[in-house]
Amino acid sequence: MGGGLMGYYIIGGLVMLVSMYVSNKLKSKFKHYSNLSLRNGMSGAEIAQKMLDDNGITDVKVISMKGQLTDHYNPKDKTVNLSEVVYSQRNAAAAAVAAHEVGHAVQHATAYSWIGMRSSLVPIVSIASKYSQWVIMGGIALATSTALGSTVLLVGIIMYGMGTLFSFVTLPVEYDASNRALAWLENERMLTQEEHAGAKDALKWAARTYLVAAIGSLATLLYFISIFLRRR
């Protein structure tokens, strides 16, 4: 079992290091662009509400929540949840995040196919991601001696694969939300050229967190598959 999981720990360690780099870079970017005040003087909440209004969305509320980088759109209760600093502050970083989250609301309102697919995967992935690694570890421990071990390992791989699929389906959802946000900010002339460049750079690094997660998940999945194939 130890030898089988060594590669997993190595891959996990490398992914963790890259994730930490991207996460720290993201925090640095947002801190930098938080100092770039908006010439129009609008807060993140006001920008979010205007983007909703401009897209004819009247059934989504913009609310404030505690935490840092905890911003998200909740399709169940139709709320754009902005962290306290994004909700109240008036800078390029806040504008970028607020518009991005509303981008998800626009996706939902226009029945964007990828966000529908991601939502349909949530119930399955929430269960599979919780138990997949335990099932895989059990399969690796048993695979050297029993046929049952190979079956257990395969089941774990399939469960882990659902999480990997979810991470890749998330990519077009996140990139599209950013593209919608930046297009609206530009078309409505909400930001100056400098402010828009800052918002674009901040969203670029935010998207990279999802990209690293997807690549890391795929690398781990392929490693588990290689273990299964070697032990057949």
Side-chain angles (χ1 to χ4, degrees):
M1 181 176 178
L5 290 177
M6 183 58 68
Y8 168 71
Y9 292 135
I10 293 174
I11 293 173
L14 291 173
V15 172
M16 183 179 68
L17 289 175
V18 176
S19 296
M20 287 176 60
Y21 170 77
V22 174
S23 178
N24 289 335
K25 193 74 173 179
L26 174 61
K27 291 177 181 178
S28 174
K29 290 288 184 179
F30 271 88
K31 182 178 180 180
H32 175 72
Y33 294 123
S34 291
N35 295 319
L36 182 57
S37 299
L38 296 186
R39 185 174 297 179
N40 63 24
M42 295 178 69
S43 67
E46 291 169 340
I47 285 175
Q49 188 59 58
K50 178 168 173 50
M51 185 172 173
L52 287 169
D53 294 341
D54 287 354
N55 282 277
I57 301 174
T58 59
D59 58 347
V60 174
K61 294 183 179 180
V62 181
I63 63 177
S64 176
M65 65 178 301
K66 295 182 179 180
Q68 183 180 16
L69 298 179
T70 52
D71 313 87
H72 66 281
Y73 168 67
N74 188 334
K76 291 184 178 180
D77 60 10
K78 292 189 174 182
T79 56
V80 172
N81 301 268
L82 302 179
S83 56
E84 292 173 331
V85 291
V86 170
Y87 187 92
S88 60
Q89 290 189 2
R90 306 166 189 274
N91 52 58
V97 174
H100 172 88
E101 298 308 333
V102 175
H104 288 308
V106 176
Q107 289 174 336
H108 191 215
T110 57
Y112 178 59
S113 59
W114 285 103
I115 199 170
M117 185 183 301
R118 185 174 73 168
S119 296
S120 66
L121 287 171
V122 169
I124 302 173
V125 173
S126 62
I127 297 174
S129 61
K130 186 182 296 184
Y131 300 108
S132 62
Q133 294 188 11
W134 293 106
V135 176
I136 288 173
M137 289 179 183
I140 290 175
L142 296 171
T144 56
S145 57
T146 66
L148 175 62
S150 294
T151 302
V152 172
L153 178 57
L154 179 59
V155 170
I157 288 172
I158 293 172
M159 293 171 68
Y160 192 90
M162 294 303 298
T164 302
L165 174 63
F166 182 81
S167 66
F168 274 91
V169 170
T170 294
L171 291 179
V173 174
E174 294 300 327
Y175 277 95
D176 179 77
S178 290
N179 289 338
R180 290 174 189 264
L182 292 170
W184 177 79
L185 290 169
E186 183 175 18
N187 293 338
E188 297 301 318
R189 298 181 180 178
M190 300 298 295
L191 307 180
T192 65
Q193 186 174 0
E194 181 185 9
E195 292 163 0
H196 191 274
K200 184 176 182 179
D201 190 36
L203 290 179
K204 176 184 70 177
W205 281 98
R208 285 177 179 176
T209 62
Y210 293 98
L211 181 61
V212 170
I215 294 174
S217 182
L218 178 60
T220 304
L221 175 65
L222 293 175
Y223 176 73
F224 287 143
I225 290 174
S226 72
I227 292 177
F228 174 77
L229 293 176
R230 287 200 305 268
R231 296 187 176 184
R232 288 188 62 184

